[in-house]
Amino acid sequence: RIRYFAHRGLHSGDGEVPENSIAAFVLAAANGYGAELDVNLDRDGNVVVFHDDTLDRMTGVSGRLNDTPAAVRETLRLCGGTQRIPLLSQVLEAADGMPLIVELKTTPRYRELCRKTLATLSGYGGDYVIESFDPRIVAWFRKNAPHIVRGQLVGRYTGRDPIRYIKHFAAGQLFTNAAARPHFIACERGMLRSVAVRLCKAAGAAVVVWTTRTSEELRKAAGADAVIFEAHRPRNTTIHVS
């Protein structure tokens, strides 16, 4: 059965319920969904739930999250409202045991992020898996926490940085799986039927698709084991986690 996870929580898209906010995760839990979320570090090493490398889009303030001290981060408001950038520990409390997909963002301090995320998740009362675009992070969990289900995120890279293109190509073709050994592949919608993803599925890996935004996109993701969605609500919200 497909399991449905609200992308960055059940946010409204217009900023009223911001993505990756406590309100978005409370709403996802109340509606019977799982949730996908993003974690990174502020300058002081706190594990926070925030998607972007920079603060501009969500807070209107210039700067990089990794360079922002906690004292400043705590004053920032998401989308000009009352919600703030939450700690992972705060989100876990609000999640109330619902299933989570936790994406660890790429950062030069990725080992620190891995250690602290693992420590924080260890006290969570619900089911969770981790995933990352960074195969070093997936490999870290293979080595240090092999009991946790881990996934390799793959997607198309449209930027111009040749180094990032090579990294995305290698991960997208799943060349890095030999080191990371992911239990599942989390692929962009258009990659569900790619040769690399189909080979992984045939070899026994689960497949998670991101991110559907319409019921038609959801229908086309029917071959996936789980779907991350936003901007629409799948009808069947029942989640069975084995």
Side-chain angles (χ1 to χ4, degrees), residues 26 28 40 44 96 99 123 134 141 148 152 168 194 218 220 224 239:
V26 168
N40 207 333
D44 296 324
D96 195 28
D134 192 334
F141 274 86
I148 294 177
Q152 178 65 57
H168 271 258
S194 69
L218 182 67
K220 292 180 179 179
I239 299 170

Side-chain angles (χ1 to χ4, degrees), residues 13-27:
D14 60 2
E16 184 175 346
V17 180
E19 66 180 54
N20 278 327
S21 67
I22 294 294
F25 296 115
V26 168
L27 195 58

Side-chain angles (χ1 to χ4, degrees), residues 24-166:
F25 296 115
V26 168
L27 195 58
N31 281 270
Y33 295 112
E36 180 268 354
L37 59 91
D38 310 277
V39 295
N40 207 333
L41 298 171
D42 65 15
R43 193 183 73 180
D44 296 324
N46 296 294
V47 181
V48 299
V49 178
F50 196 76
H51 175 270
D52 298 355
D53 292 334
T54 57
L55 302 169
D56 310 57
R57 181 177 68 90
M58 291 302 298
T59 71
V61 174
S62 297
R64 296 181 62 83
L65 176 66
N66 290 164
D67 298 332
T68 303
V72 173
R73 171 185 55 76
E74 290 168 355
T75 67
L76 303 178
R77 298 178 182 271
L78 297 173
C79 301
T82 60
Q83 297 287 301
R84 301 180 188 274
I85 300 173
L87 297 171
L88 175 58
S89 58
Q90 295 171 324
V91 169
L92 296 183
E93 183 176 355
D96 195 28
M98 71 174 167
L100 298 175
I101 298 175
V102 180
E103 178 186 343
L104 286 80
K105 307 302 288 186
T106 298
T107 172
R109 298 156 63 189
Y110 77 91
R111 293 184 183 87
E112 179 185 357
L113 176 62
C114 289
R115 290 194 305 270
K116 291 182 174 179
T117 299
L118 176 60
T120 306
L121 287 171
S122 65
Y124 185 53
D127 293 294
Y128 63 88
V129 300
I130 68 94
E131 65 178 12
S132 183
F133 279 106
D134 192 334
R136 297 174 303 174
I137 289 174
V138 185
W140 187 96
F141 274 86
R142 177 196 174 197
K143 178 180 179 181
N144 296 281
H147 60 288
I148 294 177
V149 175
R150 58 190 180 273
Q152 178 65 57
L153 270 160
V154 294
R156 298 181 180 89
Y157 177 63
T158 58
R160 297 183 178 182
D161 185 331
I163 301 301
R164 293 191 68 179
Y165 173 81
I166 292 171

